[in-house]
Amino acid sequence: MTVELISVGTELLLGNIVNTNAAYLAERCAALGLSCYYQTVVGDNEKRLEEVVRLGLSRSDILILSGGLGPTKDDLTKEVTAKVFGRELIEDAHTRGRIEEYFHRVHSDQVTPNNWKQAMVPEGAKVVDNHNGTAPGLIMEEDGKTAILLPGPPNEIRPMFERDIAPYLDGLLPEGIYSKMVKICSIGESRAETMIADLMDAQTNPTIAPYAKTGEVHLRVTAKASGEEEAGELITPVIEELFRRFGDAIFTIEESVTLEEAVAGLLAEKGMTVTTAESCTAGLLAGRLMNAAGASNVYREGYITYSDEAKERLLGVSHETLMQYGAVSAQTAEEMARGAARAAGADAAVGVTGIAGPGGGTDEKPVGLVYVGCFVKGAVRTEEFHFTGNRAKNRESAVARALTLLREELLKIRD
């Protein structure tokens, strides 16, 4: 069964907003076993939107349209799709009541008249309640074709998709689609794919699909089956084989678990605490760790030491080290980690120093050079990295490598 994604909004075409909805929907549809061959972005123009919808229906079984369901005049998705399906718009009393309730709960002022536009729905459409906004989702079916209309804000579309749309799509498929996500760090994308090339060449059901993330590789194992028990029988041997090949590089097989959660879990499991000392990442590493639930039980305190003076005063990095090797050096990263652990009284510490860019690089120390020092139980391991992205990407990559290095060192601590 094929699905086509249509993202509606002139702001997407102009680049004012990054189209995160398309990436999310494509990944979720793939996980459900739907084939997506086309994605389109179209502005808030009635004629062009109608052309895109008609073309999509001519070549795909399901259209998922996101955006353009709001109260303003340029929100045209519902009106145009209803026209293509030959449906009149009628007021849905249930949706009107929900809109009124939402405004009374969230806003002190009265509902403006244009908001009632969102209560008008195509005749015969299935209405999907929006628990995070006012515009409901809509499902229209006609002659074996389906159009699913979803609101544009990510905090509305994602909960709606998970709660209502994914189960609906799953029910359309002759077989259920079941998957497990194997998440790997410490190993790059190219090497990981090489390590499973034979499995991918021979795959039928289940299949393995690799996804590269910053500092991580995700392998989605997907099976078509009549039920969870059959799916488990298909997926489990593949997961076991991946563990044989990747070992400790696998940090989780749970879709929702992040690398920082895995690291925080290891710290809690071993009864250890951690601190961070950051220069070029300026608190991003601490922020990632604090994203993990329960991180307050293992994270002591953090230090942002951009200047040499701060490195000396807060972390005890020696003046001689800074003068001889420089702030961006393995020696400084090591002393940052040791000093942070000492200052915070923590069992583990990570020190990060580097040149994120765009300026500040030299032939000897180019932009993207980062050193990470990891202190665990009295020993320090320091690694040198060379990243090639922009400033934001270099900092993000440094944080991912720092988390991976910390995890690797924690795994060496055996109970």
Side-chain angles (χ1 to χ4, degrees), residues 216 259-260 283-292 396 399-400 403:
E216 302 174 27
L259 179 56
E260 55 265 32
L284 289 179
L285 175 57
R288 278 282 299 269
L289 281 168
M290 293 309 293
N291 282 338
E396 183 183 355
V399 169
L403 287 169

Side-chain angles (χ1 to χ4, degrees), residues 93-124:
H94 171 74
T95 299
R96 184 183 176 94
R98 286 186 62 85
I99 293 171
E100 190 170 24
E101 178 189 357
Y102 177 88
F103 271 87
H104 287 331
R105 185 177 72 251
V106 177
H107 300 282
S108 58
D109 54 350
Q110 293 183 340
V111 185
T112 56
N114 60 348
N115 276 285
W116 300 127
K117 174 177 180 283
Q118 297 170 105
M120 302 298 291
V121 305
E123 190 172 10

Side-chain angles (χ1 to χ4, degrees), residues 6-10 12-13 40-45 48-50 52:
I6 300 174
S7 304
V8 183
T10 301
L12 296 172
L13 285 175
T40 304
V41 179
V42 61
D44 301 305
N45 178 277
R48 288 190 287 272
L49 179 55
E50 181 178 343
V52 167

Side-chain angles (χ1 to χ4, degrees), residues 2-58:
T2 58
V3 64
E4 184 163 339
L5 306 180
I6 300 174
S7 304
V8 183
T10 301
E11 68 278 8
L12 296 172
L13 285 175
L14 296 176
N16 300 136
I17 296 177
V18 177
N19 193 2
T20 57
N21 285 344
Y24 164 76
L25 291 170
E27 187 171 13
R28 290 296 288 115
C29 287
L32 289 166
L34 295 163
S35 298
C36 182
Y37 300 135
Y38 302 99
Q39 292 186 24
T40 304
V41 179
V42 61
D44 301 305
N45 178 277
E46 184 175 358
K47 180 176 182 295
R48 288 190 287 272
L49 179 55
E50 181 178 343
E51 290 173 351
V52 167
V53 172
R54 290 190 185 279
L55 177 60
L57 289 172
S58 73

Side-chain angles (χ1 to χ4, degrees), residues 188-378:
E189 179 188 13
S190 298
R191 184 182 165 205
E193 190 165 339
T194 299
M195 290 172 67
I196 59 170
D198 60 316
L199 298 179
M200 294 181 67
D201 288 341
Q203 66 186 5
T204 52
N205 186 29
T207 59
I208 304 173
Y211 302 87
K213 306 289 182 180
T214 301
E216 302 174 27
V217 178
H218 296 181
L219 304 175
R220 183 179 291 281
V221 182
T222 304
K224 293 182 179 180
S226 58
E228 289 189 17
E229 184 177 350
E230 181 186 350
E233 292 174 355
L234 292 168
I235 290 174
T236 298
V238 178
I239 299 291
E240 291 173 347
E241 180 60 27
L242 292 176
F243 267 102
R244 279 191 287 271
R245 299 188 184 203
F246 292 105
D248 284 342
I250 296 175
F251 65 87
T252 186
I253 59 171
E254 297 300 326
E255 181 94 36
S256 61
V257 173
T258 62
L259 179 56
E260 55 265 32
E261 288 173 333
V263 170
L266 264 180
L267 287 162
E269 177 187 316
K270 296 178 182 298
M272 296 173 62
T273 55
V274 69
T275 185
T276 54
E278 304 178 64
S279 184
C280 65
T281 49
L284 289 179
L285 175 57
R288 278 282 299 269
L289 281 168
M290 293 309 293
N291 282 338
S296 58
N297 297 321
V298 298
Y299 187 81
R300 281 294 179 89
E301 57 194 54
Y303 306 90
I304 300 175
T305 55
Y306 245 67
S307 69
D308 288 2
E309 185 274 334
K311 291 178 177 68
E312 292 184 50
R313 177 170 52 85
L314 296 174
L315 304 175
V317 176
S318 74
H319 185 75
E320 291 74 18
T321 295
L322 291 167
M323 291 300 99
Q324 182 176 354
Y325 301 105
V328 179
S329 64
Q331 292 80 4
T332 296
E334 176 177 343
E335 291 191 28
M336 288 174 66
R338 286 189 183 277
R342 182 175 57 252
D347 303 304
V350 182
V352 184
T353 181
I355 305 169
T362 65
D363 290 341
E364 183 182 353
K365 294 183 178 181
V367 169
L369 173 65
V370 173
Y371 291 96
V372 179
C374 183
F375 171 98
V376 175
K377 295 285 189 179

